[in-house]
Amino acid sequence: VESSVDPRSPLKIAAMCRENQVKTKFLALEAALQNAPKRKVLYTNERVRVAAEKEREKQARIDKDEEARLAELYRMQEEEAATKAR
């Protein structure tokens, strides 16, 4: 019986464990949550949707630039180490 008022309920037990910082794993509860449908973001405003899409593209560009920067940094460090080794 899953009830928020029954003290034997898995929901109540999970809440008590969270309050007392006790790490637990409720397999039955997690299995039930896995089958629950995921909520999708619904954009009712076209401008908000376009802005969110642009933000995702911007983040992808930033990630790509960071990877390129790190690759160049590693290359420079290797060249410097090779120069010192000579």
Side-chain angles (χ1 to χ4, degrees), residues 17-33:
C17 290
R18 266 195 320 274
E19 288 174 1
N20 295 308
Q21 285 89 28
V22 176
K23 292 187 177 186
T24 55
K25 196 166 208 174
F26 294 94
L27 297 177
L29 195 55
E30 289 178 12
L33 291 175

Side-chain angles (χ1 to χ4, degrees), residues 29-82:
L29 195 55
E30 289 178 12
L33 291 175
Q34 283 181 345
N35 294 336
K38 303 284 187 239
R39 293 187 67 186
K40 290 181 67 177
V41 177
L42 180 63
Y43 297 108
T44 54
N45 187 340
E46 179 68 18
R47 291 187 337 191
V48 173
R49 186 188 63 75
V50 169
E53 185 177 317
K54 287 182 180 179
E55 280 295 318
R56 283 193 297 273
E57 292 171 358
K58 177 182 172 185
Q59 188 61 43
R61 283 193 311 273
I62 290 171
D63 292 342
K64 184 179 175 186
D65 289 345
E66 182 66 13
E67 288 175 10
R69 185 189 72 81
L70 289 175
E72 182 66 20
L73 180 65
Y74 293 142
R75 188 189 61 77
M76 288 172 52
Q77 288 175 346
E78 288 174 358
E79 284 180 3
E80 187 177 303

